[in-house]
Amino acid sequence: MKPGKVANSTTINPYSRSVSIIGVGCTPFMYTMDNPETNGLTEGELFGYAALKAMEDAGVSPKEVDFYFHGQASPLNGSDYITPNMQVANWFGMKGKGSIHHSEACCTGYLALEQAVNAVASGKYNCVLSGCVEFADGIAVKGMPAYVHEKFTMDKLLETTAWIYDRAYTRQMLSGPVICFDDPAVTYQRQYGLTEEEMDSAMIGMALASRKNASKNPLAVNQVPYEEMAKQMGMDVQTFMRSQFNPKMGHMLRVSGMELKCDGAAAVIVASTEWAVKHNLPHTPIEVLGIGSAACEGNTPHLEIRGTEEAIRQVYDLTDVKPEEIDLLYANDFIISSQLIAAEASGYMPRGEGWKYFVEGRTAYDGDKPINTNGGRTSFGHAHAASGLADIYEAVLQMRGLAGERQVKKLPKTTLLRGFGGGQNLAAIILRTDEALRKDDQAAVVTDSPIKLETAVKKYYEGLEAGKIYGRKCKACGHIEWPPHYACNECGCDEMEWVEMSGKGTIETIILPAILNAKPENADLMPYALTSVTMDGSSQNAIVQGVTKENAEELWALMPVPVKAKIIERGQPGSTYKTVIFELDQEELAKKKAQQ
């Protein structure tokens, strides 16, 4: 029962110049709604934090980053956006810089690296940011500000998962969207003559090693070892893993072998290796030797196995790297059998024998064949698009020797990462350290970072409820970010402090509403104009009440016209929020008229 090859193969060519990862950043993977400290975090805050941490790690400022890529698997469902890349730049000081959004479901984070590497290898840019974010546990509540979420329940997950698959045939043929959960394990078991019990033992071994890795990872969503859970139930761990506390969800797959969907973000900074060396950056550059890829539509039999084989073949052919050179392996294992598929396809383990390595417990961080040292999707967590970059983040830490308690025994020189997502996209990435460029990575670790993951949007709206308008003032140049963001978009500094805005501003333009731009839900605010307001040096588009067709010309002659802030309530019964509009400041306007 051999799966066969993909119908069409590709030969990839070398990059035009060497490209390296110079910085990485990652949020904790978490259930944001379950913790009062994180409940209310938004896409911009998660992405912004990861981006700023990656820049800090790289030793570069937002001004030095030429372009950014944004990845999100399901932006409309999770975040109520169709152009999500446009909504995050202000958070990390890159307002106005060019960007592209992409989505390849759960493979997004791996192909996020390919997007960035290609952009730099082409010579168009020297330094690029690539980041991914996902809310896979708490999703957007339509019509409410971004800090308001609701739980992403399993029935909603299953409904939206169908969006991954072809509408013409695959959804209607009923098998494609669900066969992926068990097909790789059953195919492997039958191909190599294992009993179901042996295959079950191998997959349990994968889960145990993954949780052991996650137990040493402060960013992991679940850090509780299975041994501890078993002890609480009065069982040994092997009995526990085969009990009703870890039931089979499918033909082979147990609960312990399925993703823990959660919220999170991760980012990388990629630069030409020559540029990185020239700028004497703090960390060892991790070169991206090559990236292979494949895509098989969701009704393709054994698509994960076939696509994995093709992507790995491409990158091996390109780089001349041999399987025995791979020191560390990552596999996007939202279905845990992916670890075995990737390990044997890459030659990291011998064909037909890899299952024994898992049974013997050799794949944890302290074993001789470490896999997914961060804990993988079943323990570190799965923030769909962000997971691939979280694996790259972990790989870079390991290759620098900075992974702490979960540092593998042998400092990895060469790492292979196998991405998989959407039931269809696959990628194979090879990273390598050039020892001639090795830096003292431990000495370069930032220990007093000003970058904090905080619920700034929520604080802003809570301020409005209390009658206050908040901004954040840059400690370097004094510019005020209003509404508040993590970084200054004037100078790029990430050291900011909260300030209360004056509520006083000016306008310099007037757009009167008409059929095209007069929303019916704003009829109660008439008369008003659409305009740009400058308050305490920060400008935003806003509504200004009191402007009419009759007084507009007079106001044009008085520009800039003084206005003052007004906090109002919007939303629907039971789901309301406060927001800011403006009105003509009649007192200041009278003074100005008197002076003319």
Side-chain angles (χ1 to χ4, degrees), residues 285-594:
I286 307 296
E287 187 177 10
V288 183
L289 292 189
I291 303 174
S293 61
C296 299
E297 189 280 318
N299 229 26
T300 305
H302 315 303
L303 68 89
E304 181 187 356
I305 299 173
R306 297 163 77 173
T308 298
E309 297 275 0
E310 170 63 12
I312 290 174
R313 179 200 63 76
Q314 289 176 19
V315 76
Y316 274 167
D317 286 354
L318 171 72
T319 63
D320 287 328
V321 170
K322 302 295 186 289
E324 55 270 22
E325 297 177 64
I326 303 300
D327 301 311
L328 184 57
L329 178 71
Y330 293 86
N332 198 27
D333 61 339
F334 51 88
I335 301 163
I336 206 164
S337 55
S338 286
Q339 293 187 24
L340 178 57
I341 301 306
E344 291 200 6
S346 63
Y348 192 61
M349 294 176 182
R351 300 270 185 182
E353 300 292 322
W355 68 276
K356 297 176 183 177
Y357 288 66
F358 296 101
V359 174
E360 294 165 2
R362 298 168 62 182
T363 62
Y365 68 90
D366 56 355
D368 64 321
K369 288 291 181 180
I371 296 176
N372 289 359
T373 52
N374 55 4
R377 306 293 78 82
T378 63
S379 290
F380 181 81
H382 194 18
H384 300 148
S387 295
L389 285 179
D391 284 353
I392 292 165
Y393 169 87
E394 173 73 8
V396 169
L397 292 189
Q398 290 284 352
M399 296 175 80
R400 292 175 178 170
L402 298 178
E405 288 186 88
R406 66 187 184 282
Q407 181 66 46
V408 298
K409 292 179 179 179
K410 175 190 173 185
L411 185 66
K413 179 181 179 182
T414 307
T415 298
L416 189 145
L417 302 99
R418 195 291 318 248
F420 175 43
Q424 296 155 90
N425 291 286
L426 294 114
I429 300 166
I430 294 182
L431 308 179
R432 176 164 284 176
T433 304
D434 182 346
E435 291 303 320
L437 301 179
R438 174 73 67 180
K439 297 286 190 78
D440 184 350
D441 289 294
Q442 186 62 55
V445 173
V446 176
T447 57
D448 56 348
S449 174
I451 303 165
K452 308 297 180 188
L453 186 61
E454 57 180 311
T455 54
V457 174
K458 184 178 181 181
K459 178 171 180 174
Y460 176 75
Y461 282 96
E462 288 176 342
L464 296 180
E465 292 288 340
K468 299 178 184 295
I469 303 172
Y470 288 127
R472 281 164 68 95
K473 185 176 182 179
C474 177
K475 292 183 178 181
C477 73
H479 172 73
I480 295 176
E481 287 286 320
W482 166 72
H485 297 104
Y486 282 170
C488 175
N489 281 283
E490 290 297 313
C491 72
C493 177
D494 52 34
E495 294 194 51
M496 311 284 283
E497 59 184 352
W498 287 95
V499 294
E500 185 176 349
M501 306 297 288
S502 68
K504 298 283 189 176
T506 59
I507 62 171
E508 296 187 8
T509 186
I510 293 172
I511 306 294
L512 293 172
I515 293 174
L516 178 65
N517 52 22
K519 291 189 174 183
E521 60 267 31
N522 294 335
D524 62 313
L525 303 178
M526 295 290 283
Y528 66 81
L530 307 171
T531 184
S532 58
V533 175
T534 299
M535 179 170 60
D536 301 338
S538 186
S539 300
Q540 293 289 319
N541 291 331
I543 278 178
V544 175
Q545 287 184 307
V547 181
T548 66
K549 187 175 182 180
E550 289 71 27
N551 68 7
E553 284 302 321
E554 179 187 14
L555 294 174
W556 273 110
L558 294 169
M559 293 292 181
V561 171
V563 296
K564 58 184 179 179
K566 178 180 178 181
I567 297 173
I568 64 170
E569 185 170 88
R570 307 307 281 171
Q572 301 298 322
S575 298
T576 61
Y577 62 93
K578 295 292 200 312
T579 191
V580 177
I581 64 170
F582 290 80
E583 59 187 355
L584 294 175
D585 188 332
Q586 297 293 352
E587 183 177 342
E588 293 297 321
L589 189 57
K591 292 178 182 178
K592 188 160 190 176
K593 288 180 179 178

Side-chain angles (χ1 to χ4, degrees), residues 135-194:
F135 274 83
D137 181 62
I139 59 173
V141 176
K142 295 189 187 308
M144 292 296 289
Y147 77 91
V148 182
H149 294 95
E150 62 183 2
K151 280 289 186 177
F152 189 24
T153 58
M154 185 55 68
D155 59 325
K156 290 180 181 177
L157 173 65
L158 295 175
E159 176 186 344
T160 58
T161 299
W163 300 349
I164 297 168
Y165 296 93
D166 169 50
R167 290 176 59 214
Y169 304 116
T170 300
R171 297 187 202 180
Q172 284 65 36
M173 292 182 72
L174 308 179
S175 176
V178 290
I179 194 172
C180 60
F181 297 115
D182 284 302
D183 177 68
V186 171
T187 301
Y188 184 92
Q189 178 224 338
R190 292 292 175 177
Q191 182 176 355
Y192 294 110
L194 277 67

Side-chain angles (χ1 to χ4, degrees), residues 210-227:
S210 295
R211 186 60 58 83
K212 181 178 180 178
N213 294 341
S215 72
K216 304 294 185 182
N217 190 344
L219 300 185
V221 73
N222 193 330
Q223 301 169 37
V224 182
Y226 281 116
E227 289 80 1

